[in-house]
Amino acid sequence: QKEVEQNSGPLSVPEGAIASLNCTYSDRGSQSFFWYRQYSGKSPELIMFIYSNGDKEDGRFTAQLNKASQYVSLLIRDSQPSDSATYLCAVNVWGSNYKLTFGKGTLLTVNP
Amino acid sequence: DVKVTQSSRYLVKRTGEKVFLECVQDMDHENMFWYRQDPGLGLRLIYFSYDVKMKEKGDIPEGYSVSREKKERFSLILESASTNQTSMYLCASRGRPEGGGYTFGSGTRLTVV
């Protein structure tokens, strides 16, 4: 069973702080990794994806991948109340016919 | 802007009815997926299709079927709706070669009464 694990939260941070969201995965054949943001009652939207070990930055967001330790994380700098949402980690395993395996998500609350 | 369009945002159906959920994408993507999302259970894959007329079962196909007669359209069918199929249904598509994740539709909130 290919699994993706996330802390369900809620993770609460003050406005302006760094929010750190973590995800671990069980299948070493995992090749690509995605972070989605989902506001309550809405569908998930893609924030970032990462394929290679290391960091990838996009504005206030940084994705970090460590394949040896099988974890991927998302850092949100200068957190804003509008960042309050559920963040879903998703993993693509090679040979999985383009399917993504999702974690259950971490609820982030940014307090003004 | 690329889009995945689901035909209904909210739907209320009676137990035993046959229900059709439609999804259309304008990105010429080969792969399309149907998920349901329930509190505490996350996203669960019902069916997916990697080409026209091709389909594969996901993790929870029981009580559902799908149809993909055209590349842009992927339909989910609830053969005989039951109250335990009340859920948020999400359609997604993804292209080849691998170059990004899914694009999701806006979702259909289905209530079976």
Side-chain angles (χ1 to χ4, degrees):
Chain A
Q1 178 79 8
K2 301 177 177 62
E3 292 185 350
V4 177
E5 300 288 340
Q6 296 181 255
N7 189 322
S8 62
L11 173 66
S12 183
V13 300
E15 184 174 355
I18 296 175
S20 178
L21 303 158
N22 299 312
C23 171
T24 59
Y25 58 94
S26 61
D27 197 308
R28 287 195 173 273
S30 301
Q31 292 186 305
S32 49
F33 308 84
F34 304 85
W35 283 101
Y36 285 83
R37 177 177 62 202
Q38 186 174 24
Y39 293 114
S40 180
K42 303 294 186 182
S43 62
E45 56 178 327
L46 183 66
I47 300 174
M48 293 192 69
F49 58 89
I50 186 167
Y51 299 146
S52 304
N53 274 330
D55 295 359
K56 179 181 178 182
E57 189 174 316
D58 184 1
R60 296 187 296 113
F61 299 96
T62 298
Q64 299 175 317
L65 174 61
N66 184 323
K67 288 189 175 181
S69 300
Q70 294 178 244
Y71 83 79
V72 56
S73 61
L74 180 70
L75 301 179
I76 307 174
R77 289 182 300 281
D78 188 24
S79 295
Q80 301 298 309
S82 58
D83 295 326
S84 297
T86 296
Y87 289 80
L88 302 171
C89 173
V91 171
N92 190 178
V93 177
W94 183 84
S96 65
N97 253 352
Y98 297 90
K99 287 183 295 181
L100 299 183
T101 301
F102 286 84
K104 293 183 179 180
T106 298
L107 176 62
L108 172 67
T109 301
V110 180
N111 301 304
Chain B
D1 200 11
V2 295
K3 285 187 76 172
V4 177
T5 302
Q6 294 184 231
S7 54
S8 303
R9 188 75 179 92
Y10 298 95
L11 213 50
V12 180
K13 294 293 182 180
R14 295 193 181 277
T15 300
E17 276 193 76
K18 191 169 187 176
V19 181
F20 293 85
L21 302 182
E22 305 288 343
C23 176
V24 178
Q25 51 98 359
D26 64 1
M27 297 167 282
D28 201 34
H29 281 173
E30 290 81 5
N31 305 289
M32 296 187 75
F33 307 83
W34 275 106
Y35 286 84
R36 62 178 285 178
Q37 188 175 34
D38 301 286
L41 296 178
L43 284 162
R44 292 183 291 168
L45 181 64
I46 305 171
Y47 267 97
F48 69 100
S49 169
Y50 51 90
D51 205 345
V52 176
K53 297 190 185 295
M54 306 302 289
K55 61 185 179 184
E56 283 196 25
K57 294 180 180 179
D59 300 318
I60 52 163
E62 296 78 19
Y64 303 94
S65 62
V66 290
S67 172
R68 192 163 181 206
E69 297 296 319
K70 293 184 178 181
K71 189 176 186 180
E72 67 270 19
R73 186 181 297 270
F74 191 35
S75 302
L76 179 69
I77 303 153
L78 285 66
E79 298 292 343
S80 177
S82 63
T83 55
N84 63 13
Q85 293 178 310
T86 292
S87 186
M88 169 70 92
Y89 288 87
L90 290 163
C91 175
S93 73
R94 191 178 189 201
R96 299 178 196 159
E98 184 177 286
Y102 292 165
T103 300
F104 282 94
S106 56
T108 296
R109 173 75 63 183
L110 173 67
T111 302
V112 182
V113 297

